[in-house]
C-alpha cells in the first residue's frame, strides 16, 4: 500500500498512537531494506530510538526507560540495538519544519542512497513561509507541497495529522481533518 509518489495520511486525536503506528510502519519498511526518514517535530529522536529498540527487542518500554530490566532484557537490548543500528532508518527531530526544510532533508537522504518512505509527524506542527495567510491556507500549501514532493522524488509520504474535537462525538470523517480540507484532497489514502 505504500507506493512511490503517493501521500498516505494517518489521522487521529492526540495521544492515540499515531507516532507509534508510524514508527512501526517505518521499522517494517526499513527492515525490508528500504531507506526511510522520520521527521518528528513533536518527539525527540532519542525517544523514537528507545521505542524502536523496545519494539525490536520485545522489551517493555517502561523497563527500558527506567533501566529496571528483567530476565533476558539485557541480551535482547544488545541484539535490538545492533539490529536498529543496521537499519536504513533516519530520524530528524527539528521542530517547526517548513516545506523547504522537509524538501531539503528528503533530498539529502535520497541523494545518499535513495529514499522509499518519508514520514512527517505531524502536519499541523509544520511552519509556513507565509505569515499573512490564515492557518488553513498555510496547511493547504504544505499539504500540496508534500504531494508534489512525493511525485517529484518518487517516494511515499506518510503524513500524520490531528483530527478536530468533533471527531470524538462520532465516527471520524474526512471533514474532521484539522485545519484544512486540502489534506483530504491531496491524500491518496486517509487512515483514521
Amino acid at each position: 500500500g505504500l507506493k512511490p509518489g503517493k501521500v498516505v495520511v494517518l489521522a487521529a486525536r492526540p495521544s492515540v498512537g499515531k507516532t507509534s503506528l508510524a514508527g512501526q510502519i517505518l521499522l517494517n519498511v526499513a527492515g525490508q531494506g528500504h531507506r526511510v526518514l522520520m521527521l518528528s517535530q513533536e518527539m525527540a529522536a532519542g525517544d523514537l530510538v528507545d521505542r524502536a529498540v523496545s519494539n525490536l527487542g520485545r522489551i517493555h518500554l517502561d523497563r527500558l526507560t527506567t533501566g529496571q530490566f528483567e530476565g533476558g532484557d539485557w541480551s535482547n537490548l544488545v541484539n535490538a540495538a545492533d539490529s536498529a543500528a543496521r537499519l536504513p532508518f533516519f530520524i530528524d527531530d527539528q521542530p517547526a519544519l517548513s516545506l523547504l526544510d522537509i524538501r531539503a532533508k528528503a533530498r539529502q537522504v535520497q541523494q545518499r542512497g535513495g529514499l522509499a518512505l518519508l514520514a512527517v509527524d505531524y502536519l499541523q506542527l509544520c511552519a509556513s513561509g507565509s505569515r499573512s495567510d490564515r492557518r488553513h491556507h498555510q496547511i493547504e500549501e504544505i499539504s500540496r507541497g508534500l504531494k508534489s514532493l512525493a511525485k517529484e522524488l518518487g517516494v511515499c509520504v506518510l503524513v500524520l495529522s490531528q483530527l478536530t474535537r468533533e471527531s470524538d462525538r462520532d465516527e471520524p470523517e474526512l471533514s474532521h481533518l484539522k485545519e484544512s480540507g486540502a489534506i483530504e484532497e491531496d491524500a491518496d489514502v486517509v487512515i483514521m
Side-chain angles (χ1 to χ4, degrees):
L2 301 174
K3 303 205 185 300
K6 302 293 184 187
V7 173
V8 176
V9 174
L10 176 58
R13 291 286 296 140
S15 299
V16 172
K18 294 182 298 293
T19 302
S20 292
L21 180 56
Q24 184 60 49
I25 292 168
L26 290 162
L27 276 175
N28 189 292
V29 172
Q32 295 173 24
H34 304 286
R35 293 166 60 95
V36 300
L37 171 61
M38 170 70 125
L39 300 178
S40 176
Q41 300 176 91
E42 184 174 40
M43 191 174 289
D47 293 338
L48 291 169
V49 170
D50 286 349
R51 285 180 177 213
V53 169
S54 169
N55 186 322
L56 292 169
R58 305 284 189 242
I59 304 165
H60 288 282
L61 184 60
D62 60 335
R63 292 199 310 246
L64 179 68
T65 56
T66 61
Q68 297 182 358
F69 296 120
E70 297 176 4
D73 286 348
W74 274 110
S75 62
N76 290 348
L77 173 64
V78 171
N79 293 334
D82 187 47
S83 294
R86 288 191 308 257
L87 289 174
F89 192 133
F90 303 91
I91 299 172
D92 186 301
D93 62 359
Q94 177 184 334
L97 292 169
S98 69
L99 186 55
L100 290 176
D101 294 329
I102 294 168
R103 282 181 177 279
K105 291 172 187 296
R107 283 186 181 134
Q108 183 180 35
V109 171
Q110 189 180 51
Q111 289 172 352
R112 291 184 178 173
L115 179 63
L117 178 59
L118 165 67
V120 178
D121 183 12
Y122 63 90
L123 181 61
Q124 287 79 9
L125 289 178
C126 289
S128 173
S130 173
R131 298 245 189 262
S132 62
D133 286 341
R134 292 179 174 242
R135 185 63 181 156
H136 72 275
H137 290 300
Q138 294 172 352
I139 296 296
E140 179 179 314
E141 175 188 330
I142 296 164
S143 176
R144 296 256 155 80
L146 291 173
K147 178 65 177 177
S148 173
L149 181 65
K151 287 185 169 199
E152 176 187 327
L153 297 183
V155 303
C156 182
V157 177
L158 177 63
V159 181
L160 280 62
S161 177
Q162 296 284 0
L163 292 176
T164 63
R165 286 194 172 103
E166 295 167 8
S167 66
D168 287 343
R169 288 181 255 163
D170 300 309
E171 191 73 23
E173 299 177 9
L174 291 176
S175 62
H176 293 142
L177 290 166
K178 194 171 183 179
E179 308 213 67
S180 179
I183 300 169
E184 65 186 83
E185 292 171 15
D186 297 329
D188 295 290
V189 176
V190 178
I191 303 167
M192 294 189 194

